[in-house]
Amino acid sequence: MGLATWQKINVEANSPYPVFLGVPLEELGEYLSSQIEEVEHILIITNQAVAELYSERLKQGLLDYRVNLLTVPAGEMEKSLERLSQLTTAALRCGVDRKTLVIALGGGVIGDLAGFFASVFMRGIRLIQVPTTLLAQVDSSIGGKVAVNHPAGKNILGSFYPPLAVWTDFTTLESLPWSEVENGLAESIKHALIADLDLFEFFENQEENIKQRNPSIWQEMVTRSSAVKVRTVSQDEQEHGVRALLNLGHSFGHALETEMNYHGVTHGQGVSIGIVAAAFLASAKGLMTLAEVDRIKHLLSIYGLPTTIKGQDPQALLQRMKTDKKNQGGRKILILPQGIGRTVISKDCTDSEILAAWIQVIS
């Protein structure tokens, strides 16, 4: 294929880097040898299922390097300080040093955990993100956010640590179960709600093609959704302003995930329910119509994403939102849709308004 013909979008920020789209795993080594200096040792961090599917393909292009592969168990619970400590011990046994390059091969959990490891190991070593899930390809691998969880909340311990590159091979999506596809669709639909009405209509019009995994439609979906993330991150790398809009649905969703201890609800499901709660809150504040809320609910529903959750205590969920990273001076800062294709940062949401939004999505 060759470096000159690889499709890419550049993240133009303080630490710029390319997001490559539709590039084979086997060709990452060619990029490293031509663009990244002083690499002798590579540490691939992944989980067992992804390793079995894709590690050999990735290593085909890395024959010129000393390569170690470390696997961690799957699941959001693995984003912990305990797992980070175990990963550090294993890395030291592999001879990882300041010149080592880390490759995060996997979905959002691996990207967050391996990225946070790279950001703190010996005060920071180089990182390449190789996302293998739809969620990671359209969202979590782009933007340099890395983190682990804390009992008080999701992603409480983290940093901004941009990779040297994001390497996206669309063929890794072929193995995804639909439950994993849903996680990515929630983030992609979120991107459409934030900044791209045409993309929202694309999801409405391409239901069958997306469900049937039409390759050209999936490629367009990933590319257009990634472009929203890249544009936003390029304007505000460290979330001092407009980047916060990418958190639409996440204040509600993260509270739900934490309250349920990451069992019984996936990240995408939490975001989907969170988007609906934010939409109800936006409607109550006059930012959108109930017809638009219904349109959002319908789109999420046709892709199998939930719009309600059973058996939760709205007061407990409200309490969980106190640890949201966007909060300032005790005030809850929320991202709300303003119609479809536009969002705003709201700093004046009262607890009673947020509680009413939670009640709308608890069945």
Side-chain angles (χ1 to χ4, degrees), residues 183-361:
N183 279 328
L185 286 173
E187 294 289 0
S188 290
I189 291 169
K190 177 205 74 177
H191 288 162
L193 280 166
I194 288 168
D196 195 336
L197 174 59
D198 288 343
L199 180 58
F200 191 91
E201 293 172 346
F202 170 85
F203 281 109
E204 290 178 318
N205 297 330
Q206 297 294 339
E207 175 189 354
E208 288 307 312
N209 281 323
I210 291 172
K211 286 181 175 178
Q212 293 171 11
R213 306 193 187 214
N214 179 294
S216 63
I217 294 298
W218 271 46
Q219 181 172 336
E220 181 178 354
M221 173 178 68
V222 174
T223 302
R224 291 179 65 176
S225 185
S226 299
V228 173
K229 181 73 179 277
V230 169
R231 285 198 306 270
T232 308
V233 170
S234 294
Q235 294 175 63
D236 179 21
E237 185 178 16
Q238 298 204 352
E239 203 169 304
H240 298 302
V242 67
R243 180 171 177 169
L245 299 176
L246 292 166
N247 289 307
L248 174 64
H250 284 61
S251 295
F252 288 97
H254 283 177
L256 186 60
E257 286 183 84
T258 305
E259 179 66 16
M260 296 179 69
N261 200 28
Y262 310 107
H263 292 293
V265 61
T266 66
H267 176 67
Q269 290 170 338
V271 168
S272 178
I273 295 163
I275 286 171
V276 176
F280 275 118
L281 180 52
S283 175
K285 295 179 77 67
L287 296 173
M288 68 190 315
T289 66
L290 283 174
E292 288 171 321
V293 177
D294 287 340
R295 186 179 173 188
I296 293 168
K297 289 173 62 180
H298 176 70
L299 181 62
L300 293 167
S301 295
I302 66 174
Y303 288 109
L305 286 159
T307 58
T308 60
I309 187 75
K310 291 183 178 180
Q312 294 300 309
D313 179 358
Q315 284 285 357
L317 291 166
L318 179 66
Q319 286 297 112
R320 289 288 186 186
M321 294 175 77
K322 286 186 175 180
T323 61
D324 190 273
K325 297 181 295 299
K326 294 183 299 302
N327 293 347
Q328 297 172 7
R331 291 179 301 159
K332 296 179 180 67
I333 310 298
L334 294 174
I335 311 305
L336 301 180
Q338 189 172 25
I340 294 173
R342 188 178 175 191
T343 38
V344 295
I345 300 173
S346 179
K347 299 182 179 181
D348 61 352
C349 295
T350 66
D351 282 0
S352 61
E353 289 174 325
I354 297 169
L355 199 62
W358 272 123
I359 290 169
Q360 290 277 10
V361 297

Side-chain angles (χ1 to χ4, degrees), residues 128-143:
I128 298 276
Q129 291 279 3
V130 182
T132 61
T133 66
L134 183 59
L135 182 150
Q137 290 189 5
V138 303
D139 188 66
S140 61
S141 68
I142 303 168

Side-chain angles (χ1 to χ4, degrees), residues 62-117:
L62 304 176
L63 298 177
D64 293 337
Y65 303 95
R66 181 169 67 89
V67 178
N68 288 102
L69 185 144
L70 293 179
T71 60
V72 298
E76 185 71 32
M77 294 293 288
E78 297 305 317
K79 283 172 49 179
S80 67
L81 287 175
E82 291 78 11
R83 180 59 62 188
L84 182 69
S85 177
Q86 294 167 18
L87 192 57
T88 301
T89 300
L92 288 168
R93 288 175 179 157
C94 293
V96 173
D97 60 27
R98 287 179 173 174
K99 294 292 186 180
T100 297
L101 173 72
V102 172
I103 295 179
L105 174 67
V109 169
I110 288 294
D112 273 358
L113 176 62
F116 189 63
F117 164 79

Side-chain angles (χ1 to χ4, degrees), residues 47-74:
N47 64 44
Q48 191 59 45
V50 174
E52 291 174 2
L53 287 167
Y54 301 119
S55 64
E56 289 306 315
R57 284 184 55 195
L58 180 62
K59 287 193 286 187
Q60 282 180 35
L62 304 176
L63 298 177
D64 293 337
Y65 303 95
R66 181 169 67 89
V67 178
N68 288 102
L69 185 144
L70 293 179
T71 60
V72 298

